């Protein structure tokens, strides 16, 4: 159990250090506007993909609910 907690702590420190290094690099670089623009585009694409996946999931769920209610009404 203790080994599991230690590995999670180590992983958190590594991830935090990587994020800190990335932020430091972004703040120090001359191309930060270009990098931010590219990241915003990437996040927008991810947001749209997530929204369409949620919409598709909801639509498939509605179809299932309709089919279930039709089966119950026939019985």
């Amino acid at each position: 159990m203790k080994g599991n907690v230690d590995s999670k702590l180590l992983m958190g420190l590594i991830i935090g250090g990587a994020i800190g290094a990335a932020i430091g690099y972004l703040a120090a670089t001359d191309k930060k506007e270009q990098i931010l623009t590219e990241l915003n585009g990437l996040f927008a694409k991810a947001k749209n993909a997530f929204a369409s996946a949620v919409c598709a999931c909801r639509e498939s769920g509605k179809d299932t609910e309709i089919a279930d209610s039709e089966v119950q009404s026939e019985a």
Side-chain angles (χ1 to χ4, degrees), residues 68-75:
D68 289 343
S69 64
E70 289 175 358
V71 169
Q72 290 175 357
S73 65
E74 291 175 4

Side-chain angles (χ1 to χ4, degrees), residues 20-75:
I23 290 173
Y25 174 75
L26 180 62
T29 186
D30 294 334
K31 297 181 180 182
K32 62 183 162 189
E33 292 297 324
Q34 178 186 0
I35 293 170
L36 287 175
T37 302
E38 291 175 8
L39 286 175
N40 283 335
L42 181 66
F43 286 132
K45 287 180 184 177
K47 180 181 172 183
N48 289 338
F50 180 75
S52 64
V54 168
C55 184
C57 183
R58 286 183 179 165
E59 288 177 0
S60 67
K62 287 180 182 177
D63 293 342
T64 304
E65 290 175 9
I66 292 170
D68 289 343
S69 64
E70 289 175 358
V71 169
Q72 290 175 357
S73 65
E74 291 175 4

Side-chain angles (χ1 to χ4, degrees), residues 1-17:
M1 181 87 177
K2 183 169 171 53
N4 191 20
V5 172
D6 290 341
S7 65
K8 287 182 181 181
L9 176 66
L10 182 61
M11 185 60 73
L13 289 173
I14 290 171
I15 291 172

